[in-house]
């Protein structure tokens, strides 16, 4: 699943391309319940070793408002508590918990994707257990198993009604719930929308990757000793014009990272073309697939981000199940702008920073 993502300000997380397809295809995949593409996109992403759902989201794992929220939440935990982390990704929250509490806290971390976090050592982290291929809507735990339920950028991707039922089913009578979820007006979502608009310069028939794929064989033939032909010159001109259009769009954008990184990566690949273009064409196709998975993740993030009415409905639904427990919603923000919603329920509500 989407998994945890601690970030201050993240743009490269949404570098993406969906092979020229309509962005609505990602939403169709979500709506039809066909999760194969989603699982593949997230499995490949977590297999790359990223700790957060925001790639390149700073080396500073837990600076900023989101980090402070979790540190305050975890600093008040009693020793010996058992927690569950929903849609854990590569385990950013379990890792933070271990850094703060060591083995005094027991954590079960679930995700729909297949996981193998690079930081995780079963002998050292014996009280942390990862459960792959597990959905929030169907948790393999008995009732009232956990003292706390956590999720960061994951809960909002699930079926809300089923997720609430399962979350509160496995929560004990004195448990708390703490959820950090995408905000429809957050910095990350705004950047995601901007970068989805940039895909016309990358993934269409007139886009960068098509131009690069067309020009690579001509580069190979010229390197093999052939003289340039009018067709080769036309292909080179199309590629250069695409680069110019991309540079112009990047200069006007508040979030140009997608365009700048794609330009650098494609240019680096073309520089490797020899007399046989096949290896570079294979790499271009692989790069396109990787960016396609990333676009699906970004489209899904935008679709699942919560508006004020959504978070209000979620809070009301939890209150209906837990009428005697406080439920609090707050907005996590810092100078860059809004970061996320924070929803807390149970006996240990800490409130906003």
């Amino acid at each position: 699943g989407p998994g945890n993502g601690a970030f201050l300000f993240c743009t490269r997380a949404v570098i993406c391309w969906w092979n020229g397809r309509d962005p609505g295809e990602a939403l169709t995949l979500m709506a039809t319940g066909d999760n194969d593409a989603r699982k593949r996109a997230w499995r490949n992403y977590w297999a790359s070793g990223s700790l957060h759902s925001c790639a390149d989201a700073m080396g500073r794992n837990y600076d900023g408002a989101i980090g402070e929220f979790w540190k305050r939440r975890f600093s008040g935990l009693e020793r010996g508590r058992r927690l569950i982390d929903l849609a854990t990704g590569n385990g950013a929250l379990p890792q933070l918990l271990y850094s703060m509490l060591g083995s005094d806290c027991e954590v079960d971390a679930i995700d729909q994707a297949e996981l193998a976090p690079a930081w995780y050592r079963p002998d050292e982290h014996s009280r942390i257990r990862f459960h792959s291929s597990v959905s929030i809507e169907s948790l393999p735990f008995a009732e009232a198993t956990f003292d706390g339920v956590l999720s960061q950028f994951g809960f909002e991707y699930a079926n809300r009604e089923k997720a609430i039922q399962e979350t509160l089913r496995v929560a004990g009578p004195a448990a708390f719930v703490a959820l950090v979820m995408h905000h429809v007006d957050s910095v990350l979502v705004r950047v995601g929308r901007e970068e989805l608009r940039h895909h016309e310069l990358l993934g269409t028939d007139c886009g960068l990757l098509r131009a690069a794929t067309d020009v690579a064989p001509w580069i190979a033939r010229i390197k093999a000793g052939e003289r340039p032909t009018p067709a080769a010159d036309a292909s080179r001109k199309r590629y250069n014009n695409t680069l110019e259009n991309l540079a112009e769009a990047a200069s006007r954008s508040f979030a140009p990272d997608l365009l700048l990184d794609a330009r650098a990566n494609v240019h680096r690949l073309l520089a490797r073309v020899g007399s046989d273009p096949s290896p570079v064409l294979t790499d271009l196709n692989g790069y396109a697939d990787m960016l396609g998975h990333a676009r699906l993740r970004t489209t899904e993030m935008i679709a699942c981000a919560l508006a004020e009415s959504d978070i209000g409905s979620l809070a009301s639904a939890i209150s209906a199940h837990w009428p005697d427990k406080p439920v609090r919603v707050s907005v996590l923000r810092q100078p860059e702008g809004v970061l996320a919603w924070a929803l807390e329920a149970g006996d240990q509500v800490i409130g906003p920073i």
Side-chain angles (χ1 to χ4, degrees):
N4 295 318
F7 67 98
L8 283 169
F9 181 76
C10 178
T11 54
R12 291 188 180 133
V14 284
I15 294 171
C16 45
W17 184 64
W18 188 230
N19 293 334
R21 304 172 190 172
D22 190 314
E25 181 169 347
L27 298 178
T28 300
L29 288 169
M30 295 159 56
T32 58
D34 181 0
N35 284 327
D36 288 346
R38 295 180 64 225
K39 289 181 179 179
R40 186 165 58 253
W42 286 107
R43 180 180 67 244
N44 293 345
Y45 178 74
W46 296 124
S48 72
S50 297
L51 180 61
H52 311 115
S53 59
C54 291
D56 284 345
M58 306 84 52
R60 305 179 303 279
N61 291 343
Y62 287 102
D63 288 352
I66 291 178
E68 288 304 313
F69 171 83
W70 288 118
K71 288 175 182 177
R72 292 175 68 232
R73 159 59 62 189
F74 297 156
S75 64
L77 280 177
E78 298 176 2
R79 278 8 185 203
R81 303 295 290 273
R82 185 178 180 186
L83 311 178
I84 183 170
D85 181 24
L86 307 177
T88 188
N90 272 338
L93 292 184
Q95 187 181 40
L96 178 62
L97 276 162
Y98 184 80
S99 72
M100 295 180 65
L101 301 176
S103 297
D104 290 334
C105 184
E106 187 175 0
V107 184
D108 289 275
I110 68 103
D111 202 285
Q112 276 196 320
E114 294 292 329
L115 303 175
W119 62 269
Y120 179 65
R121 300 290 182 270
D123 54 343
E124 178 183 352
H125 308 109
S126 60
R127 291 174 64 80
I128 298 174
R129 293 173 294 274
F130 284 91
H131 307 267
S132 298
S133 303
V134 174
S135 70
I136 298 175
E137 298 94 335
S138 182
L139 299 173
F141 303 100
E143 293 184 9
T145 296
F146 298 100
D147 302 304
V149 181
L150 318 171
S151 184
Q152 181 166 286
F153 299 143
F155 189 92
E156 64 270 42
Y157 291 80
N159 177 287
R160 199 167 303 162
E161 182 178 352
K162 292 180 180 178
I164 292 171
Q165 291 174 354
E166 280 294 271
T167 293
L168 301 184
R169 181 184 67 80
V170 301
F176 68 89
V177 172
L179 310 173
V180 170
M181 294 170 286
H182 284 296
H183 192 299
V184 71
D185 294 320
S186 72
V187 174
L188 181 57
V189 171
R190 287 195 295 109
V191 170
R193 292 195 186 101
E194 171 78 355
E195 294 197 337
L196 286 181
R197 288 191 286 269
H198 291 163
H199 289 297
E200 292 300 314
L201 295 173
L202 298 178
T204 65
D205 287 343
C206 299
L208 176 65
L209 288 170
R210 176 58 61 84
T213 300
D214 289 345
V215 80
W218 292 113
I219 295 173
R221 292 170 69 172
I222 291 170
K223 286 191 174 181
E226 294 187 23
R227 295 178 61 83
T229 65
D233 289 338
S235 181
R236 176 182 57 81
K237 184 176 180 179
R238 283 195 298 272
Y239 176 72
N240 288 337
N241 286 341
T242 301
L243 288 180
E244 291 176 4
N245 293 337
L246 188 150
E248 174 63 21
S251 71
R252 297 193 305 266
S253 175
F254 75 91
D257 295 64
L258 166 63
L259 299 179
L260 298 178
D261 286 359
R263 179 181 66 179
N265 288 330
V266 169
H267 193 70
R268 183 166 55 249
L269 288 173
L270 289 181
R272 290 171 35 207
V273 173
S275 57
D276 179 6
S278 299
V280 168
L281 289 173
T282 298
D283 288 344
L284 281 169
N285 286 334
Y287 183 59
D289 287 342
M290 180 190 72
L291 297 181
H293 289 157
R295 179 171 184 179
L296 188 150
R297 295 193 305 268
T298 301
T299 304
E300 188 175 21
M301 173 195 72
I302 293 169
C304 294
L306 303 181
E308 186 171 2
S309 59
D310 299 320
I311 195 72
S313 296
L314 179 56
S316 295
I318 293 176
S319 292
H321 285 274
W322 276 3
D324 299 327
K325 294 181 182 290
V327 177
R328 182 180 186 118
V329 171
S330 57
V331 176
L332 303 181
R333 65 177 78 233
Q334 54 195 46
E336 294 87 353
V338 170
L339 298 182
W341 294 108
L343 185 149
E344 300 173 86
D347 297 327
Q348 297 185 20
V349 171
I350 63 173
I353 296 172

